[in-house]
Amino acid sequence: MTFHVIVASRSGSTAERLAARLTKHPEFRVKTRVIGNGHPDPLYGVSELPDLLFLHYGSGQSELQFLAEQGTRDHLPLIVCGPENDPEAMRLAMRAGARDYLPENVSEADLVASLARIQEETLRARTSGSGKLIVFTNGKGGSGASFLSTNLAHSLVVDGGHRVTLVDLDLQFGGLCRYLDITPKVGILEALDAAHDMDEVSAKAYTCEHSSGLRLLAAPSKHLALPNEIPIEKLDSLLDFFLSNNDYVVADSPSRLDAVTEFFLERADKIVLIVQQSLPHIHDAARLLQLLTSEIVIPKKRISVVVNRFSKSAPIELGDIKKTLRQDKLITIPNQYKLATESINSGIPVAEISKTAALTKGIRNLQAALVDSASKPSQNFLKRALPMFLRERMS
Ligand SMILES: Nc1ncnc2c1ncn2[C@@H]1O[C@H](COP(=O)(O)OP(=O)(O)OP(=O)(O)O)[C@@H](O)[C@H]1O
Ligand SMILES: [Mg+2]
């Protein structure tokens, strides 16, 4: 795949100099563009968008400020090349969503490596052609998997601006509709019958829309369906359809392993296992982790463990849970019973009750931790920028 790059700068000679470093690399088709004074958007008037914008930035120029406020058109990947050791430029580049920040005298090798990484990520995103599947489950009933999956899905919509469908996999008791105060007439079983011919219009009929824009594929049905009666090839088509029409599909799965839950766990990009700080929770979580990694053979890095209702003063500490579950990292969600209960009883997501509550912030942090790392700045960029920001703060 040829990767189209626009090298934009206020100076024609700088743009040419930077573009010249790519002439030996036919995998990149490079055009240069001289930014005039008339408009701060470096892509103003460009009719054929490239795959990546490579922006040369000089201190005080308005185009990076513009991108920090507006973002690039169509969320085009951005690399900024600018003065070294300039915290303001790096900060603006980060706010503009730049995937990397390179010095003006960047070597050919570093430039090509940075472009190649983004080219590969872009290709991967295009060929998978689909959103990400996040599956919530618990080791023990009552851990908070349903509550957190619903609120996480809501946060992906309202904080992340993503298209999200929440799927209730608890075919017997599924009650996610109540967490959102929605009364569905049809749900997953009816959608399965139409799985092979699903299109955007029919998908709307099988899902319900919450006022936030979050869509729910609900579980309740007039008839009882046992998981082993569900045709997996139809489930496969249905999931493919929802992944191709959403940025994220978030599924709430009971901890029971059966044909349906196993299918979702195997296909998940991320499994979120909810535990609490008690021995029975941790015991069951350890057992589930062992089943997931050795029986279903799910790579460990695909699983994140969340300690829900976390309290610093609880007798079981995070270090104990890390050791028992063999996890380097745990995500915590604070215990806020009153707000959680109010949210569940009223069917209103916590963020719509309080934007600033510790629980809301915890869910927002979980959202940030789970979203696709591809949209984050590269590790190299952060490694270069962070020491500078820290120095600045100390001085
Ligand atoms: N962070 C929290 N702080 C306080 N209470 C919480 C929190 N998270 C969940 N809860 C409470 O825990 C209860 C159980 O949550 P939820 O129904 O989501 O659990 P679950 O893991 O889906 O259980 P099940 O396996 O039965 O489906 C909820 O009624 C809610 O009030
Ligand atoms: Mg549940």
Side-chain angles (χ1 to χ4, degrees):
M1 176 187 97
T2 317
F3 199 59
H4 295 224
V5 178
I6 283 187
V7 178
S9 170
R10 292 245 176 173
S11 147
S13 59
T14 305
E16 292 299 339
R17 183 170 52 78
L18 289 165
R21 287 174 202 177
L22 297 169
T23 41
K24 280 194 250 135
H25 299 271
E27 66 273 29
F28 304 119
R29 206 173 85 196
V30 184
K31 283 188 184 160
T32 56
R33 179 174 168 76
V34 181
I35 305 166
N37 278 329
H39 204 283
D41 181 357
L43 291 171
Y44 182 69
V46 172
S47 52
E48 198 192 330
L49 283 183
D51 296 305
L52 179 137
L53 171 63
F54 185 79
L55 175 70
H56 170 253
Y57 168 76
S59 295
Q61 291 170 357
S62 57
E63 42 274 13
L64 199 48
Q65 180 74 39
F66 173 87
L67 294 180
E69 282 159 18
Q70 311 273 324
T72 51
R73 232 196 303 161
D74 282 3
H75 306 291
L76 208 66
L78 168 74
I79 294 180
V80 177
C81 161
E84 232 173 326
N85 301 324
D86 181 340
E88 183 54 20
M90 282 197 176
R91 192 171 292 121
L92 281 174
M94 259 190 199
R95 277 181 46 213
R99 307 276 278 272
D100 209 346
Y101 185 96
L102 301 171
E104 282 163 313
N105 59 355
V106 59
S107 68
E108 180 179 325
D110 284 352
L111 176 56
V112 168
S114 184
L115 286 174
R117 187 177 50 77
I118 297 173
Q119 179 187 26
E120 196 211 299
E121 284 170 8
T122 308
L123 187 64
R124 209 183 319 132
R126 277 186 201 157
T127 47
S128 71
S130 62
K132 299 265 182 268
L133 173 64
I134 303 178
V135 178
F136 278 68
T137 188
N138 57 25
K140 197 158 197 61
S143 303
S146 300
F147 172 69
L148 288 180
S149 58
T150 307
N151 282 282
L152 180 275
H154 178 263
S155 172
L156 282 167
V157 173
V158 299
D159 300 313
H162 299 292
R163 290 171 306 160
V164 186
T165 296
L166 177 65
V167 182
D168 193 342
L169 292 180
D170 193 340
L171 301 178
Q172 266 182 43
F173 296 106
L176 292 193
C177 49
R178 287 189 292 279
Y179 288 58
L180 293 166
D181 193 21
I182 283 174
T183 316
K185 290 202 174 60
V186 288
I188 191 163
L189 295 183
E190 290 77 9
L192 276 171
D193 287 337
H196 291 316
D197 309 307
M198 191 69 77
D199 58 27
E200 271 187 65
V201 178
S202 50
K204 281 202 172 130
Y206 292 107
T207 54
C208 302
E209 187 171 2
H210 182 253
S211 54
S212 60
L214 170 63
R215 299 199 77 89
L216 171 70
L217 182 58
S221 171
K222 284 185 202 93
H223 20 265
L224 172 69
L226 295 173
N228 57 5
E229 291 168 3
I230 293 198
I232 292 299
E233 76 285 353
K234 285 193 176 175
L235 204 55
D236 201 33
S237 304
L238 195 67
L239 182 58
D240 278 344
F241 173 82
F242 279 102
L243 285 172
S244 63
N245 281 276
N246 285 277
D247 300 315
Y248 291 92
V249 170
V250 178
D252 176 34
S253 164
S255 51
R256 250 187 344 265
L257 291 178
D258 58 40
V260 171
T261 57
E262 246 189 80
F263 168 80
F264 269 80
L265 290 164
E266 268 172 15
R267 286 210 44 185
D269 295 285
K270 187 57 97 184
I271 295 170
V272 185
L273 172 59
I274 311 295
V275 297
Q276 293 191 15
Q277 285 163 293
S278 84
L279 278 181
H281 276 96
I282 292 160
H283 179 269
D284 288 4
R287 168 85 181 130
L288 184 60
L289 271 174
Q290 189 241 328
L291 290 174
L292 290 177
T293 50
S294 56
E295 300 290 318
I296 314 184
V297 204
I298 289 168
K300 234 182 121 197
K301 66 172 194 251
R302 233 181 265 166
I303 306 172
S304 292
V305 177
V306 171
V307 181
N308 189 26
R309 306 191 67 172
F310 172 66
S311 156
K312 273 191 191 141
S313 54
I316 296 179
E317 295 176 3
L318 286 186
D320 305 325
I321 305 180
K322 275 188 189 164
K323 222 185 279 166
T324 315
L325 301 186
R326 299 204 189 124
Q327 297 290 310
D328 303 331
K329 204 173 150 256
L330 297 169
I331 302 171
T332 58
I333 300 282
N335 185 21
Q336 219 171 345
Y337 188 71
K338 204 163 158 268
L339 178 57
T341 310
E342 185 185 343
S343 163
I344 291 175
N345 287 343
S346 60
I348 301 174
V350 283
E352 292 185 12
I353 299 176
S354 167
K355 281 196 168 36
T356 52
L359 181 52
T360 312
K361 286 185 191 157
I363 290 160
R364 218 178 284 135
N365 291 342
L366 174 63
Q367 188 257 144
L370 294 179
V371 289
D372 195 353
S373 56
S375 60
K376 288 185 192 152
S378 74
Q379 288 302 314
N380 289 343
F381 181 5
L382 288 175
K383 243 186 248 160
R384 279 195 296 273
L386 279 179
M388 196 180 304
F389 292 158
L390 291 175
R391 267 202 311 278
E392 232 200 359
R393 189 164 279 189
M394 310 281 277
S395 60

